[in-house]
Amino acid sequence: MIDESKYRTLLMAKREEIAGKLPRREELWIVQSNEQTETVQLAGQREFTARILERETKSLTQIGAALKRIDDGEFGICLECEEPIAPKRLAAVPWAAYCLHCQENRDAQDARQTVHTNLAA
Ligand SMILES: [Zn+2]
C-alpha cells in the first residue's frame, strides 16, 4: 500500500523548491529586449535560462499531475499499462507517471524523435 500522504508532502515540498528557484520570466525578457547589442555569451545565457525554465516548468507540470493522481486515487499506477509502479521507483521519482518499462519505451521513442528532428533541421 502506498503512503499517499507521504508522497503528497514530498511532492508539494518539491514543487515549492522548484518554484522558488525558477528563473524569472522578466529576467528572460530583459535579455531578449537587448537583442541588438547582444553578445554571443548573452545569447548562450538566454538559451540556457530558457532551457532551465522549460525543464522546470515541465517538472512542475509532472508534479501537479502526480498530486492530482493522489486526489483521484490513481497515484502509483502506470498511465500506460495500468500496472502498479515499483515502490523503489516512486521513492526515487515521486512524480513518475509510468512504470520503468513504459518509461523506457517512451524515452526510446523521444530519442528517435529528437534524432529525426535534428536530421530534418
Ligand atoms: Zn507501464
Side-chain angles (χ1 to χ4, degrees):
M1 191 60 203
I2 296 169
D3 185 352
E4 291 184 343
S5 67
K6 185 185 95 181
Y7 280 109
R8 189 192 297 272
T9 310
L10 221 137
L11 286 162
M12 286 169 79
K14 189 73 190 166
R15 188 164 66 174
E16 291 278 298
E17 184 196 317
I18 294 177
K21 69 173 186 198
L22 268 188
R24 290 162 198 265
R25 283 184 187 278
E26 305 93 81
E27 284 171 21
L28 210 60
W29 171 246
I30 290 165
V31 178
Q32 274 171 346
S33 67
N34 278 335
E35 200 130 7
Q36 280 179 335
T37 55
E38 191 173 74
T39 62
V40 173
Q41 197 193 358
L42 258 184
Q45 219 168 58
R46 189 183 65 189
E47 195 179 317
F48 181 68
T49 311
R51 235 177 246 173
I52 293 179
L53 196 65
E54 192 184 79
R55 202 184 56 211
E56 302 294 11
T57 306
K58 205 172 150 190
S59 301
L60 286 177
T61 309
Q62 286 174 335
I63 291 170
L67 283 166
K68 188 174 181 305
R69 285 197 298 277
I70 293 179
D71 288 340
D72 294 346
E74 291 166 359
F75 183 74
I77 306 294
C78 175
L79 292 183
E80 187 83 32
C81 65
E82 296 181 359
E83 293 289 326
I85 299 172
K88 244 170 100 177
R89 173 161 166 74
L90 282 177
V93 191
W95 51 89
Y98 302 96
C99 69
L100 195 58
H101 179 72
C102 294
Q103 184 66 57
E104 276 172 357
N105 278 345
R106 293 175 68 86
D107 287 349
Q109 254 172 33
D110 280 355
R112 272 199 297 275
Q113 271 167 8
T114 307
V115 170
H116 188 76
T117 312
N118 286 346
L119 285 178

